[in-house]
Amino acid sequence: MNVPEDLKYAESHEWVRLEDGLCRVGITEFAQSQLADLTFVDLPEVGSTVTSGEEVAVVESVKAASDIYAPVSGDVVEINDSLSDSPEQINEDSFGEGWLFVIRPHKMEELDALLTAEAYRALLPEE
Amino acid sequence: MIPSRFCTFQKPLPYPEAVSLQEALVSARITDRIPDTFLLLEHPPVITLGRRGRRRYLLADASTLKQYGIAVEPSTRGGDVTYHGPGQWVLYPIVKLSRNELGAHGYLHALESVALKTASAFGVESYRREGKAGAWCDQGKFAAVGFKFTRWVTSHGVSLNVSPDLKAFDLIVGCGLVGESVSSFEDILGRKNCPTMPEVAHRIQEVTSEVFQRELDLCSPDELLV
């Protein structure tokens, strides 16, 4: 299972990429593989404020809905609009084109509480 | 076998109450305040719309629904639209999936297995259909599936038609499947040979224990959150 070294991770299977002080967020390859073929995504509003650990988005596969949690607190500054027409991008490229939203974090130190790739990998079932 | 609780409700539980109860149980399960818990119940007549909320699959207008005494409620489960009502058992597992059990495919398979094994126990021949979740027989779909994961704790689940008023399904396109019919044990076996709701409940409980590999302690509704 691919777990890129340059990202931070939440135990609830979101990833965070730090980009010029902003946090790009998606779900991991493991999470998308467990949810199977995604058919629907409900994203937060741009401009909304989110708190770390809060449910902010929902992804759905054929019969399963699953909550997505904000890995850090902050303001949502961008969402991946293209997912409403093609949610399968999350399955195909979860760490790239399948990103969900971008947060401008309120407290950068919250990033330190997230997991390293190594720590996240340890949470996954043995292959 | 993991110890778990199984609670059968003796009277129909309104849909919104069942949703609140499940939310409370999910929170309690996430923090390990309760063990895995299975709810088995009937709802008063209700049409529920999954988050995708495709109202276009709701064929009836408000006055027709009122005439039938059917409520319409939004739902956070996966899937489109479905009907619940008396004569239909609904199984809601509030289960923390272990690392080895994780996955929508495996969980969907388990819920379908509960319906298929229960049907088989009463002589109903049933099967899965590729790409069409639920349990099917030649007459149509008799069990529908829709669920949610919250930090890998499950909610919502599977509904199984024993002897509901099948006419209610004419008001919707069940699960958004155009041109597919809905069936029930009564429809397949005939009224005389159809098992009673308590008989089916008993079998669902046994099958749940087998499919989920859990030892089930019976529990009453007022003990659930104690």
Side-chain angles (χ1 to χ4, degrees):
Chain A
M1 197 62 70
N2 186 20
V3 180
E5 291 297 331
D6 58 331
L7 305 181
K8 293 284 222 169
Y9 297 88
E11 279 182 27
S12 44
H13 306 283
E14 293 84 11
W15 56 259
V16 176
R17 179 181 289 121
L18 193 58
E19 297 174 354
D20 300 328
L22 299 178
C23 295
R24 189 174 299 270
V25 178
I27 64 170
T28 65
E29 185 179 314
F30 172 74
Q32 69 74 24
S33 74
Q34 296 305 301
L35 293 169
D37 296 337
L38 294 172
T39 54
F40 174 78
V41 182
D42 191 9
L43 295 173
E45 301 268 325
V46 169
S48 60
T49 300
V50 299
T51 308
S52 68
E54 179 192 356
E55 299 153 22
V56 289
V58 177
V59 293
E60 259 193 54
S61 54
V62 177
K63 293 290 167 177
S66 187
D67 288 330
I68 306 296
Y69 301 89
V72 292
S73 307
D75 302 318
V76 177
V77 293
E78 195 182 348
I79 61 171
N80 189 350
D81 281 321
S82 70
L83 295 177
S84 58
D85 287 332
S86 44
E88 69 278 3
Q89 290 176 96
I90 300 172
N91 295 112
E92 289 159 5
D93 188 10
S94 59
F95 293 114
E97 295 296 317
W99 64 277
L100 299 177
F101 48 86
V102 177
I103 294 176
R104 176 178 289 118
H106 289 165
K107 301 180 206 136
M108 289 308 274
E109 58 269 29
E110 275 185 353
L111 279 161
D112 299 334
L114 295 171
L115 304 171
T116 62
E118 186 187 1
Y120 176 68
R121 204 175 283 118
L123 291 177
L124 302 181
E126 312 230 335
E127 284 178 62
Chain B
M1 299 270 268
I2 308 166
S4 308
R5 304 184 301 174
F6 193 94
C7 176
T8 305
F9 286 66
Q10 300 304 321
K11 55 180 188 189
L13 187 68
Y15 194 80
E17 288 179 39
V19 169
S20 314
L21 174 62
Q22 289 186 77
E23 284 172 357
L25 290 169
V26 165
S27 302
R29 185 67 196 93
I30 287 170
T31 49
D32 288 324
R33 281 178 284 142
I34 59 165
D36 287 341
T37 300
F38 296 83
L39 309 179
L40 185 67
L41 53 92
E42 291 171 85
H43 289 301
V46 62
I47 287 169
T48 66
L49 303 167
R51 202 183 298 256
R52 279 173 282 186
R54 298 191 185 167
R55 291 192 90 91
R56 64 192 168 95
Y57 290 128
L58 181 56
L59 304 176
D61 56 30
S63 67
T64 310
L65 293 169
K66 200 171 170 188
Q67 186 192 325
Y68 275 79
I70 298 176
V72 178
E73 298 287 348
S75 176
T76 55
R77 64 171 165 74
D80 290 302
V81 55
T82 197
Y83 167 80
H84 301 297
Q88 179 198 69
W89 280 123
V90 185
L91 179 70
Y92 291 141
I94 311 298
V95 168
K96 189 181 266 189
L97 296 175
S98 73
R99 266 196 235 181
N100 298 323
E101 293 173 318
L102 287 183
H105 272 313
Y107 186 67
L108 173 65
H109 199 268
L111 291 178
E112 288 171 343
S113 292
V114 169
L116 294 167
K117 284 171 184 281
T118 302
S120 160
F122 294 104
V124 173
E125 279 188 41
S126 59
Y127 41 84
R128 289 188 177 82
R129 283 175 65 185
E130 183 67 38
K132 294 183 176 170
W136 296 77
C137 59
D138 291 347
Q139 288 87 340
K141 182 159 86 167
F142 66 91
V145 174
F147 52 92
K148 183 179 177 190
F149 293 149
T150 309
R151 299 192 185 272
W152 305 108
V153 171
T154 63
S155 57
H156 301 283
V158 57
S159 61
L160 190 156
N161 297 333
V162 180
S163 52
D165 179 4
L166 291 181
K167 285 202 295 291
F169 288 94
D170 293 340
L171 305 173
I172 59 169
V173 180
C175 299
L177 295 173
V178 178
E180 299 283 2
S181 43
V182 176
S183 190
S184 67
F185 285 4
E186 186 181 62
D187 186 34
I188 302 155
L189 299 169
R191 181 160 294 187
K192 221 177 78 195
N193 296 320
C194 182
T196 64
M197 289 295 281
E199 284 167 351
V200 178
H202 185 70
R203 188 61 69 160
I204 290 173
Q205 183 195 317
E206 287 177 355
V207 167
T208 299
S209 172
E210 178 194 334
V211 169
F212 284 87
Q213 289 290 298
R214 277 157 173 83
E215 193 176 311
L216 300 176
D217 286 332
L218 299 188
C219 142
S220 72
D222 50 8
E223 294 170 320
L224 283 169
L225 283 160
V226 172

